[in-house]
Amino acid sequence: MKQAIVTGATGFIGSAFVELLINKNIQVLSLGRKPFDKIPKDKKKKLSGSLYLNLDMKNISNLRNEINKLDWIIGNDCVFFNLAWGGKERLSDLDVEAQIANIGWCVNAIKVAKEICCKRFIQVGTMEELFTHKYLGLNHHTNDEYNRHVIYSVAKISAKFALELYSSLLEMELIYVINSHVIGPNDDKDSFLQVTLEKMVKNEDLVFSSGEQYFDTVSLDDCVFGYYLICKKGRSGSNYWVGSGEPCRIKDYVKRMSKLFSPNKNLQFGKLPYNDIMLNPEDFSVDLLTEHTGYKPKLSFEQTIIKLYESMFDKK
């Protein structure tokens, strides 16, 4: 891989991925829906070594014309990495129309990737697909589990099927990627672990469900390095999981955080209800990724959460 086109490049993961590619001497065309001067300073710095194109995914079919204006020459070893996704209010909202629109944009993206002679197309899904595949198999007359991300992940799954169809028709290499929950500095999303960390530091009450459900986290650095290895060594038609390789129960993550930041605080497990699908450790397997690319995570959960802490509270 000598070149890469990255959509969703202004995001938390996308900007870090672009920065890694640049450090690996890959020529990068970064796509985002924000004008460059509107991008937050930390992400703008990560994108500074790439060529940035302000292009919304709804207009992705215009990419070839926009590239011609930039005089950016595509060689015979260019990867199209599609991270972009959007909802009406937020990434994974329940707005059906906004979520479904992404499917068409993904199809248009693989079409234009073929048109401009990219070597392979890589689509990023969501770990919520794990829950949704099991959730949709329930009998909802007798089961009362609820998943608030189901509309988002159904759209992701539908995009995957559509891309598989079009990759075959277009004779285009396709790889599908899902990653575990990503933790890193300057994340602007209020995830469960991030909110819990903030409560620990502020000495607030720590009240949880039973915490028996399995989960997996991966550092931002390990996630984007996994992406890089997939671009370089991934096999067409494969579905890869990028994670820690060591999933554990939610309560164990909380206990490990507590040991670092609030060792004397009472952890109140079982005080809140949990009404969603339960996953298994094998659902988060990175074995195929390791077999094909040699992927091995480098940062432990403790190292990762300390880096998040430092970014949130500006302390060493």
Side-chain angles (χ1 to χ4, degrees), residues 15 57 145 171 204 260 279 309 312:
S15 58
M57 283 298 291
E145 287 88 347
E171 297 183 343
E204 297 179 8
L260 289 171
L279 301 178
Y309 167 81
M312 290 173 64

Side-chain angles (χ1 to χ4, degrees), residues 19-241:
E19 182 180 43
L20 174 65
L21 292 176
I22 293 166
N23 291 337
K24 296 290 185 180
N25 297 315
I26 308 298
Q27 187 183 30
V28 183
L29 177 63
S30 303
L31 274 58
R33 60 184 173 185
K34 295 179 180 178
F36 193 72
D37 60 354
K38 300 295 184 182
I39 300 172
K41 186 181 297 184
D42 63 304
K43 295 181 176 67
K44 189 185 295 184
K45 182 179 179 181
K46 294 177 180 179
L47 300 177
S48 60
S50 70
L51 180 61
Y52 182 75
L53 177 60
N54 177 201
L55 184 67
D56 195 293
M57 283 298 291
K58 65 183 179 183
N59 300 317
I60 193 64
S61 296
N62 297 332
L63 180 60
R64 182 173 185 172
N65 292 334
E66 296 299 327
I67 288 177
N68 290 337
K69 293 177 187 178
L70 296 171
D71 197 29
W72 197 68
I73 307 300
I74 298 178
N76 60 2
D77 195 13
C78 183
V79 171
F80 194 110
F81 201 95
N82 193 30
L83 263 167
W85 196 272
K88 185 175 182 181
E89 300 295 336
R90 62 185 187 277
L91 177 68
S92 60
D93 61 26
L94 296 175
D95 189 283
V96 175
E97 184 177 354
Q99 291 298 325
I100 296 301
N102 289 277
I103 302 171
W105 299 341
C106 288
V107 169
N108 290 339
I110 197 171
K111 287 180 179 178
V112 79
K114 178 66 175 182
E115 181 184 338
I116 61 180
C117 300
C118 288
K119 180 180 179 180
R120 56 176 34 177
F121 189 94
I122 300 175
Q123 175 68 31
V124 179
T126 171
M127 70 181 298
E128 300 300 336
E129 293 173 44
L130 284 182
F131 295 88
T132 297
H133 281 298
K134 297 183 180 185
Y135 177 79
L136 294 178
L138 297 176
N139 181 340
H140 293 286
H141 294 289
T142 57
N143 294 80
D144 63 354
E145 287 88 347
Y146 173 74
N147 187 291
R148 65 186 179 89
H149 297 292
V150 68
I151 301 300
Y152 163 61
S153 53
V154 163
K156 282 279 191 178
I157 293 167
S158 300
K160 177 178 184 287
F161 289 145
L163 288 170
E164 288 175 344
L165 171 63
Y166 274 90
S167 68
S168 177
L169 294 173
L170 297 169
E171 297 183 343
M172 181 83 176
E173 290 187 24
L174 172 67
I175 295 175
Y176 197 75
V177 182
I178 296 179
N179 50 260
S180 296
H181 176 68
V182 180
I183 297 178
N186 302 312
D187 186 1
D188 55 4
K189 299 179 181 65
D190 294 331
S191 68
F192 166 75
L193 291 177
Q194 188 167 321
V195 169
T196 299
L197 172 60
E198 189 167 358
K199 288 182 177 179
M200 286 180 176
V201 173
K202 293 181 177 180
N203 199 32
E204 297 179 8
D205 288 340
L206 301 173
V207 183
F208 311 99
S209 68
S210 66
E212 294 292 331
Q213 60 271 34
Y214 276 94
F215 195 65
D216 189 48
T217 67
V218 64
S219 72
L220 178 61
D221 292 344
D222 284 329
C223 178
V224 297
F225 188 66
Y227 287 177
Y228 168 72
L229 289 176
I230 290 167
C231 290
K232 292 274 288 185
K233 301 179 181 180
R235 301 180 190 178
S236 181
S238 296
N239 298 285
Y240 294 115
W241 190 281

Side-chain angles (χ1 to χ4, degrees), residues 192 206-213 250-251 254-255 266-275:
F192 166 75
L206 301 173
V207 183
F208 311 99
S209 68
S210 66
E212 294 292 331
Q213 60 271 34
I250 283 285
K251 66 179 182 182
V254 173
K255 288 177 181 179
N266 181 34
L267 304 178
Q268 302 180 57
F269 291 108
K271 297 289 186 179
L272 297 178
Y274 180 78
N275 191 36

Side-chain angles (χ1 to χ4, degrees), residues 181 183-184 216-222 243-246 248 253 256-257 260 295-308:
H181 176 68
I183 297 178
D216 189 48
T217 67
V218 64
S219 72
L220 178 61
D221 292 344
D222 284 329
S244 72
E246 298 180 344
C248 65
Y253 278 119
R256 290 162 72 178
M257 290 171 60
L260 289 171
Y295 169 80
K296 290 183 180 179
K298 295 180 180 179
L299 293 179
S300 68
F301 174 71
E302 283 75 12
Q303 291 171 312
T304 303
I305 208 72
I306 287 171
K307 290 180 72 171
L308 175 63

Side-chain angles (χ1 to χ4, degrees), residues 277-297:
I277 300 297
M278 299 287 277
L279 301 178
N280 303 310
E282 54 268 26
D283 290 326
F284 305 96
S285 174
V286 299
D287 289 351
L288 186 64
L289 179 59
T290 300
E291 178 187 341
H292 287 184
T293 71
Y295 169 80
K296 290 183 180 179

